[in-house]
Amino acid sequence: MTDLSAFPIATRWPASHPDRIQLYSFPTPNGVKVSIALEELGLPYEAHAVNIGRKESWTPEFLSLNPNGKIPAMIDPDGPGGRPIGLFESGAILLYLSDKTGKLVPADPVRRYETIQWVFFQMASIGPIFGQIGFFHKFAGREIADKRPLGRYRDESRRLIGVLETRLKGRSWIMDDDYTIADISMLGWVRNLIGFYEARELVGFDDFRHVAAWLERGLARPAVQKGLSIPARG
């Protein structure tokens, strides 16, 4: 049997199937990226709910694998050379899974790097900015009387959606006809922006018909539909 005893996180969230990939996550835009990728790839895995509402991602066991204290994190018991590997940061995990399987990233080196740049675009721009608009529009920040921060994040969100709109004109996916980790990295964020964050009208989302069509295509994928609810909130 695979031994995960070297990973303290496995003591708080014990593995029923230690020979499978262990996913420690919660169904947020960052969390579902990995569950969607795992579903798309058909890799066997076991999902453990790390409840961020109860601050479980700040426990010593979780921090031992992800010192940044954010979901998701992952252990692959069959890592490079057959040795277990623990990873954090969703973009790095997506790239690892694509490298492991040879899927969800184009084989051509130039297109591979183009794909990775769009994953970085999500991590450096889409994720942080959409997260802030969620705070200032839906959560505690909405009580702040000074609306300049909200305006700043609204305008920047529109700019970023515009970048996607330009990229997706004449394309089915970020990388033309290739559905990749670039799409997986962003689908949950755009979905949350207009759904959970209730910012559809605020950012004028209906102006961006190419992004809207891309989102509809992505959400229609069975692996995406399943992955959006993994792990279950309980």
Side-chain angles (χ1 to χ4, degrees):
M1 178 178 288
T2 304
D3 182 9
L4 298 179
S5 61
F7 297 92
I9 196 170
T11 63
R12 186 180 181 99
W13 290 278
S16 298
H17 305 281
D19 58 324
R20 301 179 185 177
I21 288 173
Q22 303 294 305
L23 173 63
Y24 308 92
S25 190
F26 203 62
T28 70
N30 274 339
V32 301
K33 289 183 227 171
V34 179
S35 56
I36 290 170
L38 288 165
E39 288 293 325
E40 292 280 8
L41 293 167
L43 291 170
Y45 70 101
E46 182 176 359
H48 305 274
V50 178
N51 193 313
I52 58 176
R54 295 199 292 264
K55 301 187 184 302
E56 289 182 346
S57 63
W58 298 104
T59 58
E61 295 87 353
F62 187 84
L63 291 170
S64 69
L65 183 55
N66 184 354
N68 194 30
K70 306 290 185 180
I71 52 95
M74 187 195 80
I75 298 171
D76 183 0
D78 182 28
R83 296 181 299 176
I85 182 173
L87 293 168
F88 69 96
E89 294 298 342
S90 57
I93 295 173
L94 288 180
L95 186 56
Y96 170 79
L97 293 173
S98 69
D99 283 348
K100 179 181 176 74
T101 60
K103 300 177 180 178
L104 295 179
V105 169
D108 175 75
V110 172
R111 289 178 58 76
R112 169 184 163 81
Y113 281 112
E114 289 176 350
T115 304
I116 292 171
Q117 80 178 345
W118 285 103
V119 175
F120 285 9
F121 170 75
Q122 181 276 301
M123 295 179 66
S125 299
I126 291 279
I129 296 299
F130 286 12
Q132 289 299 318
I133 204 171
F135 174 77
F136 284 104
H137 183 61
K138 182 179 175 67
F139 298 113
R142 70 190 304 173
E143 304 301 327
I144 298 173
D146 187 346
K147 298 305 178 185
R148 284 175 294 181
L150 175 61
R152 183 258 194 262
Y153 291 113
R154 175 202 62 217
D155 293 347
E156 183 64 359
S157 292
R158 273 191 63 87
R159 186 188 72 80
L160 294 173
I161 301 169
V163 172
L164 282 181
E165 180 76 0
T166 299
R167 177 65 182 180
L168 287 164
K169 184 177 181 179
R171 293 180 169 91
S172 295
W173 306 108
I174 298 295
M175 294 303 297
D176 306 309
D177 293 328
D178 292 328
Y179 172 79
T180 68
I181 57 173
D183 301 287
I184 293 173
S185 74
M186 291 188 237
L187 283 167
W189 277 109
V190 177
R191 173 179 176 264
N192 249 43
L193 177 71
I194 64 173
F196 185 65
Y197 293 160
E198 302 171 353
R200 186 185 197 111
E201 184 176 350
L202 178 70
V203 300
F205 183 77
D206 292 335
D207 294 339
F208 304 99
R209 61 185 183 89
H210 299 300
V211 176
W214 163 84
L215 179 63
E216 184 176 355
R217 281 191 294 274
L219 295 180
R221 297 179 69 90
V224 174
Q225 282 297 308
K226 186 172 182 181
L228 286 171
S229 300
I230 297 174
R233 288 177 178 260

